[in-house]
Amino acid sequence: HRHRESARRCRFVKGVVDSEDLPLSISREKSQDKRLLAKIQDVVVRKLLRYLQDQAKKDRDKYLKWYQEFNMFLKEGACHDASRRTEVAKLLYFDSSKEGGLTSLDEYVGRDASDDEKIYYLHAPTRELALASPYYEQFKKNKRECLFVYNAIDDFVMSNLREHNGRQIVTAEAADFGSTDEKEEEKEDKAPSADALSTADSDKLKAWLLATLPERLESVEATDKLVSSPAVVVDAESGAMRRMMAMVAQQADGGALPPLPPQKLRLNVSHPVVVALAQASTKDEARATAAAHQLLDNAIVAAGLMDDPRTMLPRLNKLLELALKVESQPVETEPLSRTEALEKGEARKEAAEAMDK
């Protein structure tokens, strides 16, 4: 009897189940005992998962070649089958900040020598953008590994797995490695950067940003997690999930998602852009306001939350206008006399003839 009741995630498998105890209807076209079929299904799925786990251990390269083609079925199972989620998770492989290709969750845990009982992942369109993400900066700074996921379904998979072998699975945004006592002592002994904003100037900038962008900002705080980026938004919704929701809404009724709620902005007070913004906020209100909006937009883009980047174009054009604006007026010169004009004309003629030769 062909096993037609296999789990949807295993529909890439074709086979025959031989059972003497399978009761059929008079027409012999469908079975009568659904409980027996459920038991057969459970046994078949368990054996299939065990077979795949053995193949992954026996010939990793061969399994990964198969995985490239059929991984979507496993990810579907991780999302929809709670009873087998732990077993399916062992078969999933993801890219990693550590060079060497795809890695499993078990391999990630095996390499992590820290006391942090978490598995971190970062969603980005490509590996290059993941490595350049502001959310990856503290991983690079602390030499910590982070998994990279590139598809919306991968983000959905991680959200559904939640944990693996007792380790919580969290986004890179939520990472906070803190400081050891030794690092804290070094931090206290080290003098603050001369280019960084003072505490007073930082507080003034935070207050100015909240007053300038009251509808777009919930809070503004300084952070030491950033190295080369001026700002990030934290505790925001998943960018991949928002894009998936937008796609579903578009297919359902053509509607649009509600606008983003006010964001929590975190500033790198040592970054030149933030320092310059603090200075401009007290000297050039128009320029500073446009820059503040763009700073927030850049952070939203980095988080993958920008629904339509074209909304930034008017502001970018305004920034270009302000950046290219000539502050000084042209100096008026006295008209040349007839003799001076003739002499200047002769000089130009001689220069042109010399270039022709």
Side-chain angles (χ1 to χ4, degrees), residues 161-178:
L161 289 179
R162 297 184 182 178
E163 66 175 8
H164 180 71
N165 287 348
R167 288 201 174 201
Q168 187 180 3
I169 300 176
V170 298
T171 63
E173 172 200 318
D176 187 4
F177 300 134

Side-chain angles (χ1 to χ4, degrees), residues 136-145 176-179 183 224-225:
Y136 177 67
E137 289 183 8
Q138 66 168 327
F139 288 87
K140 185 177 180 180
K141 178 181 179 182
N142 291 275
K143 298 181 180 180
R144 295 288 298 275
E145 184 177 0
D176 187 4
F177 300 134
S179 303
K183 287 184 179 179
D224 58 357
K225 295 181 180 180

Side-chain angles (χ1 to χ4, degrees), residues 235-280:
D235 298 336
E237 62 182 294
S238 166
M241 290 298 295
R242 184 171 178 84
R243 287 190 293 275
M244 186 177 293
M245 290 168 57
M247 182 177 63
V248 172
Q250 185 67 28
Q251 292 177 348
D253 56 6
L257 290 176
L260 286 173
Q263 300 295 308
K264 298 177 181 179
L265 187 67
R266 299 297 178 260
L267 299 176
N268 177 4
V269 294
S270 298
H271 197 279
V273 170
V274 176
V275 175
L277 178 61
Q279 297 171 351

Side-chain angles (χ1 to χ4, degrees), residues 219-323:
S219 66
V220 181
E221 299 293 341
T223 180
D224 58 357
K225 295 181 180 180
L226 299 175
V227 178
S228 58
S229 298
V232 292
V233 292
V234 299
D235 298 336
E237 62 182 294
S238 166
M241 290 298 295
R242 184 171 178 84
R243 287 190 293 275
M244 186 177 293
M245 290 168 57
M247 182 177 63
V248 172
Q250 185 67 28
Q251 292 177 348
D253 56 6
L257 290 176
L260 286 173
Q263 300 295 308
K264 298 177 181 179
L265 187 67
R266 299 297 178 260
L267 299 176
N268 177 4
V269 294
S270 298
H271 197 279
V273 170
V274 176
V275 175
L277 178 61
Q279 297 171 351
S281 65
T282 60
K283 299 177 181 178
D284 192 335
E285 187 74 16
R287 193 187 302 260
T289 300
H293 277 286
Q294 193 58 47
L295 180 69
L296 177 57
D297 280 343
N298 291 350
I300 291 175
V301 169
L305 296 173
M306 181 64 69
D307 295 329
D308 189 353
R310 290 173 293 185
T311 57
M312 294 191 299
L313 291 179
R315 190 174 303 117
L316 286 172
N317 290 334
K318 181 64 176 178
L319 284 172
L320 286 174
E321 177 186 343
L322 293 171

Side-chain angles (χ1 to χ4, degrees), residues 45-53 84 87-88 91:
V45 172
R46 184 167 64 249
K47 287 189 174 183
L48 174 61
L49 294 179
R50 188 180 304 152
Y51 170 79
L52 292 176
Q53 291 173 8
R84 298 291 180 190
E87 297 300 315
V88 175
L91 298 170

Side-chain angles (χ1 to χ4, degrees), residues 19-295:
S19 175
E20 297 179 356
D21 300 325
L22 189 62
L24 301 177
S25 63
I26 296 177
S27 63
R28 301 183 65 84
E29 292 182 354
K30 57 183 179 179
S31 61
Q32 293 178 326
D33 193 342
K34 292 184 178 180
R35 289 178 298 178
L36 180 58
L37 277 180
K39 185 176 181 179
I40 292 176
Q41 173 180 306
D42 183 70
V43 172
V44 170
V45 172
R46 184 167 64 249
K47 287 189 174 183
L48 174 61
L49 294 179
R50 188 180 304 152
Y51 170 79
L52 292 176
Q53 291 173 8
D54 292 340
Q55 291 300 308
K57 295 177 182 178
K58 185 182 301 182
D59 192 338
R60 189 176 188 275
D61 293 337
K62 184 178 179 181
Y63 174 79
L64 290 179
K65 184 178 180 180
W66 173 89
Y67 181 82
Q68 294 287 357
E69 184 175 355
F70 293 98
N71 67 83
M72 296 300 291
F73 296 101
L74 296 177
K75 293 174 181 178
E76 183 181 342
C79 293
H80 296 295
D81 190 352
S83 63
R84 298 291 180 190
R85 191 167 290 158
T86 302
E87 297 300 315
V88 175
K90 297 177 181 179
L91 298 170
L92 299 179
Y93 281 71
F94 303 96
D95 195 8
S96 168
S97 57
K98 182 179 177 63
E99 297 290 345
L102 298 179
T103 186
S104 67
L105 296 177
D106 287 334
E107 290 170 345
Y108 175 99
V109 172
R111 287 192 297 266
D112 187 11
S114 69
D115 296 330
D116 191 359
E117 296 295 320
K118 292 184 177 67
I119 297 174
Y120 297 99
Y121 72 94
L122 174 62
H123 181 272
T126 64
R127 178 180 179 85
E128 290 72 21
L129 291 177
L131 291 172
S133 171
Y135 298 105
Y136 177 67
E137 289 183 8
Q138 66 168 327
F139 288 87
K140 185 177 180 180
K141 178 181 179 182
N142 291 275
K143 298 181 180 180
R144 295 288 298 275
E145 184 177 0
C146 181
L147 298 177
F148 295 154
V149 298
Y150 307 124
N151 298 321
I153 190 173
D154 291 332
D155 200 12
F156 196 60
V157 167
M158 293 299 197
S159 300
N160 278 271
L161 289 179
R162 297 184 182 178
E163 66 175 8
H164 180 71
N165 287 348
R167 288 201 174 201
Q168 187 180 3
I169 300 176
V170 298
T171 63
E173 172 200 318
D176 187 4
F177 300 134
S179 303
T180 62
D181 295 337
E182 191 174 316
K183 287 184 179 179
E184 285 291 340
E185 292 177 3
E186 291 178 0
K187 187 176 179 181
E188 291 177 1
D189 295 337
K190 185 178 178 181
S193 173
D195 297 330
L197 293 177
S198 65
T199 302
D201 290 338
S202 177
D203 291 341
K204 290 179 182 178
L205 177 60
K206 290 185 285 186
W208 179 84
L209 284 169
L210 288 172
T212 304
L213 310 177
E215 297 180 354
R216 303 190 67 195
L217 288 176
E218 177 183 334
S219 66
V220 181
E221 299 293 341
T223 180
D224 58 357
K225 295 181 180 180
L226 299 175
V227 178
S228 58
S229 298
V232 292
V233 292
V234 299
D235 298 336
E237 62 182 294
S238 166
M241 290 298 295
R242 184 171 178 84
R243 287 190 293 275
M244 186 177 293
M245 290 168 57
M247 182 177 63
V248 172
Q250 185 67 28
Q251 292 177 348
D253 56 6
L257 290 176
L260 286 173
Q263 300 295 308
K264 298 177 181 179
L265 187 67
R266 299 297 178 260
L267 299 176
N268 177 4
V269 294
S270 298
H271 197 279
V273 170
V274 176
V275 175
L277 178 61
Q279 297 171 351
S281 65
T282 60
K283 299 177 181 178
D284 192 335
E285 187 74 16
R287 193 187 302 260
T289 300
H293 277 286
Q294 193 58 47
L295 180 69

